[in-house]
Amino acid sequence: YHVNAATNSTWIDKFNNSTKEYISTYTKLEAGQKSGQWWGYQTYNRLFGSAEEVIALKQFGSNGSITNYRVAHETAGDLYIKDQNGDGVVNATNDKTYLGSQIPKVYGGMGLQLYIGNSLNIGANFSYALGHKRLWMMACNDASGASVDNQSNKMAGMSAVVPQNSPYNPATFPAITPYGDGQNGGSVNFSDYFLYDASYFRLNTINVNYRLGKQYFGNSIVDNIEFSLQAGNLFTITKYPGFDPQGNFAASTSLTAAMGVDNSYYPSARTFTAGVKITFR
């Protein structure tokens, strides 16, 4: 058997002009920082439980003015986002922050080759990655609002319509508001609520070969028969909720399309192949 492990860290030393940083849709490149880091809103990892909780965060001026915590239509079932600079208002200029890395802390593979006598041979190859986050874009887009488009059935019965964690609604997704009034998802309001640990351990392939030697065929014209069975992508151990913790990447040709964005394309297929090989004298 063999096992290998690798890690990769890329640091931005400096830009070749007066630019100090570059902010894309989901990431930020900054001199002196690592690349491949998520950049967006940090949440308290929960939803607002009541309208009163939202009202308590509003600022009321002596002249009757109202300053919203984040957006005017914010209410129960919307994301509770952190005010990073403590000014009582959440906005893109002052309250976005680093949210973790797209790049695994360690990744690699392992292989196993087992021989049992002269007849049976079993080989397996595994891959793994640990310590990184992926953006499940399907859920993020669905939470951005409903209009005339279909929503994923992943959201069915799981979006907030009454306070989260009440006996009537164990909601895991924000309220789906008409045309995005709650501003809970989408690229503009990207937050860590839709980032998931994408660590995984996968059996890529397994091969089983069994050989019947010449002792089984006497003086016949058959020298040996070999039976083979191969299975691909047989199982994956992961807590990632999307289709595939490894594939479904967005295009990585520009910094605005982060490599860790999962667009829910078709996942890798599970395959089975059987064969028989007959060798004649």
Side-chain angles (χ1 to χ4, degrees), residues 145-272:
S147 57
V148 296
D149 301 320
N150 292 327
Q151 304 294 117
S152 164
N153 62 1
K154 288 279 188 179
M155 305 291 285
M158 299 170 68
S159 61
V161 291
V162 294
Q164 188 182 29
N165 299 325
S166 76
Y168 308 102
N169 182 41
T172 55
F173 291 115
I176 302 177
T177 55
Y179 301 97
D181 286 346
Q183 297 188 23
N184 294 310
S187 58
V188 175
N189 302 292
F190 161 61
S191 71
D192 63 358
Y193 199 80
F194 302 101
L195 290 178
Y196 294 88
D197 180 4
S199 300
Y200 72 90
F201 181 80
R202 167 170 285 166
L203 173 57
N204 295 324
T205 59
I206 183 169
N207 298 278
V208 180
N209 294 281
Y210 186 78
R211 187 170 182 266
L212 295 175
K214 62 180 66 179
Q215 67 271 24
Y216 291 97
F217 304 104
N219 296 322
S220 70
I221 63 172
V222 177
D223 187 66
N224 64 77
I225 299 178
E226 185 173 325
F227 301 94
S228 63
L229 177 65
Q230 182 181 66
N233 192 28
L234 201 58
F235 69 80
T236 302
I237 300 173
T238 184
K239 292 182 178 180
Y240 182 71
F243 294 154
D244 192 340
Q246 184 181 18
N248 301 324
F249 287 110
S252 58
T253 55
S254 70
L255 294 174
T256 57
M259 64 180 181
V261 177
D262 174 9
N263 283 321
S264 296
Y265 302 132
Y266 284 114
S268 300
R270 182 176 297 158
T271 60
F272 297 91

Side-chain angles (χ1 to χ4, degrees), residues 34-244:
K34 287 184 179 181
S35 65
Q37 295 189 84
W38 296 108
W39 176 261
Y41 291 116
Q42 185 180 17
T43 69
Y44 286 101
N45 200 33
R46 71 175 182 88
L47 312 176
F48 284 119
S50 67
E52 289 76 16
E53 189 175 13
V54 179
I55 293 171
L57 293 172
K58 296 180 182 289
Q59 300 179 41
F60 298 89
S62 57
N63 61 352
S65 63
I66 300 176
T67 302
N68 296 305
Y69 181 68
R70 188 162 66 95
V71 295
H73 296 283
E74 203 166 25
T75 188
D78 290 328
L79 286 176
Y80 189 180
I81 291 177
K82 288 186 178 182
D83 173 19
Q84 297 290 340
N85 67 347
D87 64 356
V89 177
V90 172
N91 57 51
T93 303
N94 299 315
D95 297 298
K96 288 191 174 184
T97 187
Y98 288 112
L99 303 174
S101 178
Q102 306 164 357
I103 301 171
K105 292 180 180 178
V106 61
Y107 59 92
M110 59 185 67
L112 172 68
Q113 202 72 34
L114 178 64
Y115 296 93
I116 301 177
N118 296 321
S119 300
L120 184 61
N121 176 19
I122 301 174
N125 288 288
F126 304 84
S127 62
Y128 67 91
L130 303 171
H132 62 297
K133 296 179 179 180
R134 296 194 74 192
L135 169 58
W136 188 21
M137 202 62 210
M138 182 174 70
C140 185
N141 282 337
D142 281 352
S144 67
S147 57
V148 296
D149 301 320
N150 292 327
Q151 304 294 117
S152 164
N153 62 1
K154 288 279 188 179
M155 305 291 285
M158 299 170 68
S159 61
V161 291
V162 294
Q164 188 182 29
N165 299 325
S166 76
Y168 308 102
N169 182 41
T172 55
F173 291 115
I176 302 177
T177 55
Y179 301 97
D181 286 346
Q183 297 188 23
N184 294 310
S187 58
V188 175
N189 302 292
F190 161 61
S191 71
D192 63 358
Y193 199 80
F194 302 101
L195 290 178
Y196 294 88
D197 180 4
S199 300
Y200 72 90
F201 181 80
R202 167 170 285 166
L203 173 57
N204 295 324
T205 59
I206 183 169
N207 298 278
V208 180
N209 294 281
Y210 186 78
R211 187 170 182 266
L212 295 175
K214 62 180 66 179
Q215 67 271 24
Y216 291 97
F217 304 104
N219 296 322
S220 70
I221 63 172
V222 177
D223 187 66
N224 64 77
I225 299 178
E226 185 173 325
F227 301 94
S228 63
L229 177 65
Q230 182 181 66
N233 192 28
L234 201 58
F235 69 80
T236 302
I237 300 173
T238 184
K239 292 182 178 180
Y240 182 71
F243 294 154
D244 192 340

